[in-house]
Structure formats: structure tokens, C-alpha cells
């Protein structure tokens, strides 16, 4: 937005102020990371990742730019976590390699995080488990962990006490009146905070456009009955590995239909093992079997829980759909249940996987109309209830794309909050508050760090641009051998094409390309240009124009000069 805050700019008196600085999670889904700062002390809320879009060729993960944390690491008192989803904890292996501070989270959250840290060679000695309802002290800040419902157990909201007022951060939440584990959102705690007075509330905006209430997770369990009842052979169910309550319901349904359960996919196996150890998943002995044992039972006695609900290229279900998975092959009669809805941007991947499964003769159950998936985020009526319980002076919608933040802001206005007290923030903005006023007070470094294999941040916009160009139009390599002393061409130019044209079928074009390069080099010789940079520029310029005129393509042109 052009305004400094939703209701216009404002100026604060010269006194110590509370700063809230989102480094990720605003105007986007994922990459959640928020700094709370008072005087010279910092509390960090979450440190998540997001997954690359189609334009980020070769990129594995995206994390927030945490330069601000590195510059102020001596001021950071603690990191507090709301829950164990990757978009809230996935950046921590990279952050904790550089910054050594205590990390507080619930048992399942830290259990999942510990596995991620181990994979990245990061010590987990700074992890401190808390229970829902606990309060910890971190410098000037006091943090109370409030039980909320979400699509993963052990999720919490946060009540952060500061010297000038209380901040309430809802975390990702929904109001589930019949939760699988019987533990409802702690309405009373949110209400008590509202009665005492809340300075700022940050609230989940993911479903701010969705009217009504988000259905209870328990409705999914009953929806599994129909496909389980109709299945005549194996059932393969794909869902998010972190959706522990969903996995528990699959296990419960499998027990009712006298089926054994096998788990497939690295992340799924890790989360299920951690959840079994910590008691978040319960299954009678003998219910869960190793994937290698499935052939010891008739097909109609097997359920396989797997990853791949988003059509991820290397996931188990996607590879099964391509007949490229050693442990399990899809056979006619298999029932595939995709218990998830596609994340925006993944629709094509999911559709392709479904098509491939159908071609292999499987019966595929998918789509919201089958009731086999519900969201973990609050819809409008639940958001209204949260606002009415907490009744904050100032409001910052978080966790959502820009349209979600705008919709949530308008919802708060409809409930009576003054427009001037609502802040539509951007990543990197400093939102500054006193007891009575708030404003945008500047910016800090923010953005994204791209993870490519073991490389962290070594791929930027220039590299992505080159990858995009290579993927679209290919590359032409020109190899020229020159006499260093005389400055003349003694061999070449040799032309190598990759991803541009098939050379054997384009010999005439390749001959013309070679002639153009020779002409450009002859012109340089006439003009006395011997510097390599000048020669390369001349070859690129001459060839770039010529190729575009002939083919309307712009391949990358890479001149290589060898000297003798």
C-alpha cells in the first residue's frame, strides 16, 4: 500500500517504543518469521520456509533473508515457535547455524525440528520444550503459550507481555469444537487477555476470504468410511506428513476395517515415528507394519499412508503414478485417496498425478466434495470470534497473501475497529507502537534466500535469469583459438548448440552462424581490437541480432577464447 499504515501515517512521541518487524509471511503463504523488539532486546516468532514457484528453476527451498538477525544477534533473547509445520520451523536449521539462542516450542514441534536439525548437522542443545499453558521469561519479554487447534497437534498461540502492553499472536489456528485429541482452543485464556487489555493482535489470515466456519477435523474420519467400505483391494492414502490427526483417523478407520497400515515416504516415516514415540499417535501393537511386509497380506487387508498429496515430483505417490517406485507399484483395483487440496500453484502437478494413476487402473478419490480434507485455518466466523474475545487496540493481519490481509483488515473494520488502528504490513517494515499510537517507522533488510542443494544464498536473480534463458532458448557456445602474440585466430570458430536447435537438421543455420562470427572477428582485427572482452562482446552482439532475426529466439551465447 502507498500509505504508511492502513489508516494513514502517524508520528510517535520520543519514548521507548515496541517494534514488530515481519521478515516473512506477509503478502505470501509461508516463510513466516516475525521480530518483536523493545529497546535493545529481541524475541523472534517462528522461522519458516516456503517452496519454490515455477520460475525458481532448480531451487529446493526459500527462506527469509535474516540479515537483520545476524546484525542484531547479541540482542536476541529467544526464539518461540507456534507449531511444527515447515512454513514455521523450516528455516531454523539455517538460522541456528549462525545464531546460538534458546528455542522454545511444544514437544511435537521440537521433535520434528530436532530431526531437521540432525539432517543439517546442527546441534539441538538449544531446544527447550514447553507445554500448552506454560509461561517463559526471555529478557524483558514474558511469553505464555496458549492452546489452539490446527492441522497439527501441539499448536499454540502466544501472549507476549512487554513493558508497554501485551501482544497476542494467534499462530495458525481454527476453532474446532470436536478435535481429535479432545483438546479445544483455550477460549478462556484469549478472553482473559481481552479483559485485561491487549495492545496488538497478529492473527492468521489464510482463510480470511472464506465465509462461515472451517469444518472440524473429525468430519474427515467419517468421510473415510465410504472409500474404505467400497475398496476391494489396497488403499493408498496421501496426505501431509505433518497432519498427525489425519494420520490417526486413517489408522482408526483401518482398524475398523481390519486392515494393516504401512507408512511410506521419508518425511511421513519420520513424523509418524516421532508421534508414536511422544504419544500423539496411538495404534494397537501389530497395526503398523513395515512397508516391506505388505506382500505378506492380501491386498484387501492393507492401507498405505504416503506423501505426495501435492504432486511433488520426487514424492512417493508421484513416483508410483509414473511406475518409478521400487517398493510399491500401482495395480488395477487399487484405491487412491488424496486427502488434501492443492496448494495454489500445485494444481497442474496434482492433476497430472491423478491422470497417471487413473491410466494405471486405480480408483482415485479426491476433491473437496468427498469431504476427505478440511483446512487447518479459521474462516471468517472464527476470525470474528477471535477478534471479539481479544479486542486489541491495534491489529496486524499476518500469514497470508496480500488479498487475504486486506480481507482480514476489512473484517476487523466491520467489527468496529478504527481503520487507523489496522496495519497492513509488508516484509521488512518496522511497525512501531506506544501505548496509544502506532505507525510505520522505516524498513530493515528483508527478502528471500534461495537454497539450492548445499548452497545457501549463492543463487540469486542473475543466476535464475540465466537458468530461465537456458530452459527457454538453450545455449550456443563459440570456441575460438587465438595466437596470443599475433592476436589472430588460428582455429575455429567451432559452434556447439545445446537446447537451441538440433545441429544435424540445421546445418545451414550453423554455417551462417559460423560465418557471422568470422565476420565479427575480422572486423575486430581491422579495428585493432585484441582485448578478449571486446572480442567476446563483438561475437555476442553480432550473433544475438542475427539469431533473433532468423529464429525469433534468444539463446544464451557463450564465447570461449583459448590461447596458444
Amino acid at each position: 500500500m502507498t500509505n504508511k499504515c492502513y489508516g494513514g501515517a502517524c508520528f510517535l512521541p520520543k519514548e521507548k517504543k515496541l517494534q514488530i518487524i515481519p521478515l516473512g509471511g506477509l503478502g505470501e503463504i509461508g516463510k513466516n518469521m516475525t521480530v518483536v523488539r523493545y529497546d535493545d532486546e529481541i524475541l523472534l516468532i517462528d522461522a519458516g520456509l516456503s517452496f519454490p514457484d515455477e520460475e525458481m528453476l532448480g531451487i529446493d527451498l526459500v527462506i527469509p533473508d535474516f540479515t537483520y538477525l545476524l546484525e542484531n544477534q547479541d540482542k536476541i533473547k529467544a526464539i518461540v515457535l507456534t507449531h511444527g509445520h515447515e512454513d514455521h520451523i523450516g528455516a531454523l536449521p539455517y538460522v541456528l547455524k549462525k545464531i546460538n539462542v534458546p528455542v522454545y516450542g511444544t514437544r511435537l514441534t521440537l521433535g520434528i525440528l530436532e530431526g531437521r536439525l540432525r539432517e543439517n548437522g546442527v546441534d539441538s542443545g538449544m531446544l527447550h520444550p514447553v507445554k500448552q499453558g506454560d509461561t517463559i521469561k526471555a529478557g524483558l519479554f514474558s511469553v505464555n503459550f496458549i492452546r489452539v487447534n490446527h492441522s497439527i497437534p501441539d499448536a499454540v498461540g502466544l501472549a507476549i507481555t512487554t513493558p508497554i502492553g501485551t501482544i497476542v499472536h494467534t499462530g495458525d489456528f481454527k476453532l474446532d469444537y470436536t478435535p481429535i485429541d479432545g483438546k479445544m482452543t483455550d477460549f478462556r485464556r484469549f478472553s482473559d487477555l481481552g479483559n485485561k487489555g491487549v495492545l496488538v493482535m497478529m492473527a492468521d489470515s489464510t482463510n480470511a476470504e472464506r465465509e462461515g466456519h472451517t469444518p472440524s477435523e473429525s468430519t474427515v474420519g467419517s468421510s473415510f468410511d465410504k472409500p474404505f467400505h467400497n475398496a476391494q483391494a489396497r488403499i493408498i492414502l496421501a496426505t501431509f506428513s505433518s497432519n498427525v490427526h489425519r494420520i490417526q483417523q486413517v489408522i482408526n478407520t483401518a482398524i475398523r476395517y481390519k486392515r494393516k497400515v504401512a507408512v511410506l515416504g521419508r518425511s511421513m516415516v519420520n513424523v509418524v515415528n516421532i508421534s508414536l514415540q511422544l504419544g500423539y499417535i496411538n495404534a494397537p501393537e501389530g497395526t503398523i507394519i513395515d512397508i516391506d511386509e505388505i506382500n505378506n497380506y492380501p491386498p484387501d487387508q492393507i492401507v498405505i499412508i504416503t506423501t505426495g498429496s501435492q504432486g511433488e515430483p520426487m514424492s512417493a505417490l508421484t513416483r508410483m503414478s509414473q511406475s518409478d517406485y521400487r517398493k510399491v507399484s500401482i495395480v488395477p483395483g487399487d484405491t487412491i485417496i488424496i486427502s488434501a487440496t492443492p496448494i495454489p500453484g500445485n494444481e497442474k502437478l496434482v492433476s497430472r498425478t491423478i491422470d497417471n494413476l487413473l491410466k494405471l487402473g486405480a480408483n482415485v478419490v479426491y476433491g473437496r466434495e468427498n469431504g476427505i480434507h478440511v483446512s487447518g485455518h479459521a474462516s471468517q466466523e472464527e476470525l470474528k470470534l477471535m477478534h471479539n474475545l481479544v479486542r486489541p487496540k491495534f491489529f496486524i493481519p499476518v500469514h497470508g497473501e496480500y488479498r487475504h490481509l486486506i480481507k482480514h483488515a476489512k473484517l476487523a473494520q466491520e467489527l468496529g475497529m478504527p481503520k487507523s488502528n489496522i496495519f497492513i504490513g509488508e516484509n521488512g517494515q518496522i511497525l512501531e507502537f506506544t501505548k496509544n499510537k502506532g505507525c510505520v517507522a522505516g524498513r530493515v533488510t528483508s527478502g528471500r534466500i534461495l537454497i539450492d542443494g548445499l548452497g545457501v544464498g549463492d543463487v540469486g536473480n542473475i543466476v535464475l535469469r540465466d537458468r530461465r534463458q537456458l530452459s527457454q532458448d538453450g545455449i550456443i557456445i563459440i570456441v575460438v583459438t587465438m595466437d596470443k602474440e599475433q592476436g589472430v585466430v588460428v582455429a575455429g570458430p567451432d559452434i556447439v548448440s545445446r537446447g537451441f536447435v538440433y545441429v544435424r537438421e540445421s546445418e545451414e543455420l550453423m554455417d551462417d552462424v559460423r560465418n557471422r562470427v568470422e565476420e565479427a572477428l575480422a572486423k575486430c582485427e581491422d579495428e585493432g581490437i585484441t582485448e578478449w572482452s571486446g572480442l567476446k562482446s563483438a561475437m555476442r552482439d553480432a550473433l544475438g541480432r542475427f539469431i533473433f532475426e532468423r529464429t525469433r529466439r534468444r539463446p544464451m551465447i557463450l564465447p570461449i577464447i583459448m590461447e596458444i
Side-chain angles (χ1 to χ4, degrees):
M1 297 189 71
T2 54
N3 289 338
K4 290 292 185 183
C5 60
Y6 194 52
C10 41
F11 302 94
L12 302 186
K14 291 184 178 180
E15 58 184 83
K16 286 184 179 178
K17 306 170 188 76
L18 176 67
Q19 293 182 338
I20 296 175
I21 309 170
L23 297 179
L26 296 192
E28 60 188 351
I29 300 294
K31 212 153 63 62
N32 300 292
M33 180 186 281
T34 304
V35 168
V36 177
R37 178 169 180 169
Y38 183 84
D39 198 12
D40 275 342
E41 297 194 5
I42 287 174
L43 181 75
L44 184 66
I45 304 170
D46 289 336
L49 56 75
S50 62
F51 293 99
D53 58 38
E54 292 178 348
E55 298 295 307
M56 297 180 189
L57 301 173
I59 299 303
D60 299 318
L61 305 169
V62 185
I63 64 174
D65 185 331
F66 56 95
T67 302
Y68 179 79
L69 299 181
L70 295 175
E71 293 171 348
N72 295 278
Q73 56 184 297
D74 58 316
K75 301 177 177 67
I76 304 173
K77 299 304 175 185
I79 300 173
V80 290
L81 305 176
T82 58
H83 62 284
H85 280 154
E86 293 284 1
D87 57 334
H88 292 259
I89 66 170
L92 279 169
Y94 307 98
V95 173
L96 294 176
K97 278 184 180 178
K98 303 286 184 69
I99 301 170
N100 184 21
V101 294
V103 179
Y104 296 90
T106 52
R107 285 198 309 152
L108 182 60
T109 302
L110 296 189
I112 295 171
L113 174 58
E114 191 171 2
R116 302 287 186 270
L117 295 179
R118 195 182 308 116
E119 290 171 5
N120 286 272
V122 181
D123 180 60
S124 57
M126 77 292 288
L127 304 185
H128 301 279
V130 295
K131 297 191 296 293
Q132 295 168 330
D134 284 355
T135 299
I136 60 110
K137 189 80 173 166
L140 290 168
F141 305 104
S142 176
V143 185
N144 178 235
F145 296 83
I146 311 168
R147 184 173 64 246
V148 297
N149 300 129
H150 187 41
S151 54
I152 185 171
D154 254 5
V156 292
L158 306 170
I160 303 167
T161 304
T162 78
I164 66 165
T166 299
I167 300 170
V168 168
H169 191 301
T170 66
D172 284 357
F173 81 101
K174 64 188 283 188
L175 303 181
D176 193 335
Y177 302 111
T178 54
I180 300 303
D181 58 7
K183 298 175 181 177
M184 289 175 55
T185 295
D186 192 345
F187 297 98
R188 177 175 293 179
R189 179 61 182 145
F190 284 111
S191 178
D192 288 345
L193 289 164
N195 291 335
K196 292 174 183 176
V198 171
L199 182 67
V200 183
M201 180 170 77
M202 294 180 275
D204 177 16
S205 307
T206 308
N207 274 356
E209 293 181 318
R210 188 175 295 175
E211 295 180 352
H213 296 267
T214 301
S216 170
E217 175 65 30
S218 60
T219 62
V220 177
S222 56
S223 297
F224 285 153
D225 271 319
K226 184 177 179 181
F228 269 69
H229 177 75
N230 293 337
Q232 300 298 311
R234 288 185 309 186
I235 295 173
I236 301 172
L237 185 141
T239 190
F240 294 108
S241 61
S242 60
N243 200 333
V244 174
H245 290 322
R246 187 74 47 83
I247 295 167
Q248 180 68 67
Q249 293 193 91
V250 176
I251 292 170
N252 294 345
T253 310
I255 292 168
R256 284 203 304 275
Y257 285 88
K258 297 181 172 53
R259 289 176 179 259
K260 301 293 185 182
V261 177
V263 182
L264 196 57
R266 185 174 60 87
S267 61
M268 184 69 76
V269 170
N270 289 343
V271 171
V272 169
N273 285 339
I274 292 165
S275 300
L276 284 167
Q277 291 168 15
L278 297 178
Y280 292 96
I281 288 179
N282 297 299
E285 190 172 345
T287 301
I288 298 178
I289 62 172
D290 190 272
I291 192 67
D292 294 327
E293 297 179 48
I294 59 174
N295 292 328
N296 298 339
Y297 298 87
D300 62 357
Q301 291 181 19
I302 292 294
V303 176
I304 299 171
I305 305 175
T306 185
T307 54
S309 64
Q310 296 302 305
E312 305 95 316
M314 295 307 294
S315 66
L317 184 65
T318 302
R319 291 172 62 190
M320 281 187 266
S321 75
Q322 297 166 347
S323 302
D324 184 34
Y325 200 75
R326 181 174 56 84
K327 290 183 180 291
V328 178
S329 297
I330 303 297
V331 296
D334 282 344
T335 294
I336 316 295
I337 302 172
I338 300 179
S339 184
T341 53
I343 294 170
N346 287 354
E347 293 89 351
K348 286 185 178 179
L349 293 173
V350 175
S351 295
R352 190 180 305 134
T353 299
I354 292 171
D355 285 346
N356 290 338
L357 291 167
L358 290 169
K359 287 176 184 176
L360 292 171
N363 171 37
V364 186
V365 182
Y366 63 96
R368 194 183 300 275
E369 66 278 3
N370 285 300
I372 52 175
H373 176 68
V374 295
S375 173
H377 300 271
S379 297
Q380 288 182 5
E381 296 306 312
E382 296 153 273
L383 294 175
K384 290 177 184 177
L385 178 56
M386 183 61 75
H387 279 266
N388 285 325
L389 289 172
V390 177
R391 304 186 302 281
K393 179 172 284 189
F394 300 105
F395 171 53
I396 306 170
V398 295
H399 301 178
E401 295 175 354
Y402 195 70
R403 68 181 192 275
H404 302 137
L405 307 183
I406 289 289
K407 188 67 178 180
H408 200 172
K410 289 180 177 177
L411 199 69
Q413 266 188 275
E414 292 169 8
L415 294 170
M417 176 167 279
K419 189 174 182 179
S420 58
N421 287 17
I422 302 171
F423 292 81
I424 306 290
E426 298 173 4
N427 292 335
Q429 279 186 337
I430 302 172
L431 306 176
E432 204 164 72
F433 299 92
T434 65
K435 291 182 178 180
N436 300 305
K437 290 191 176 181
C439 77
V440 177
R443 300 192 73 92
V444 303
T445 301
S446 66
R448 63 190 187 189
I449 296 174
L450 306 180
I451 311 295
D452 185 358
L454 296 177
V456 179
D458 57 351
V459 174
N461 291 331
I462 302 300
V463 174
L464 286 181
R465 183 199 65 192
D466 289 347
R467 289 182 179 181
R468 199 172 301 120
Q469 187 177 3
L470 286 167
S471 72
Q472 292 170 348
D473 294 318
I475 185 172
I476 291 179
I477 302 170
I478 309 158
V479 183
V480 177
T481 305
M482 300 191 71
D483 186 308
K484 184 179 181 181
E485 292 182 0
Q486 298 183 26
V488 295
V489 176
V490 296
D494 295 320
I495 310 298
V496 180
S497 167
R498 290 292 182 269
F500 170 54
V501 292
Y502 185 47
V503 174
R504 290 184 182 177
E505 295 180 0
S506 306
E507 291 181 0
E508 182 183 344
L509 176 62
M510 289 296 101
D511 288 340
D512 291 342
V513 166
R514 189 174 293 105
N515 292 336
R516 287 298 173 120
V517 174
E518 290 173 347
E519 290 172 9
L521 290 171
K523 186 177 179 181
C524 288
E525 189 175 340
D526 292 341
E527 296 176 358
I529 298 173
T530 58
E531 288 290 327
W532 284 11
S533 59
L535 293 171
K536 289 180 177 180
S537 293
M539 286 188 277
R540 266 194 297 262
D541 292 345
L543 209 51
R545 287 193 298 270
F546 169 71
I547 289 174
F548 184 72
E549 289 169 2
R550 284 284 295 270
T551 66
R552 284 298 184 266
R553 303 179 198 169
R554 299 187 188 275
M556 181 179 289
I557 299 170
L558 181 63
I560 297 174
I561 299 176
M562 302 173 65
E563 64 177 20
I564 57 171

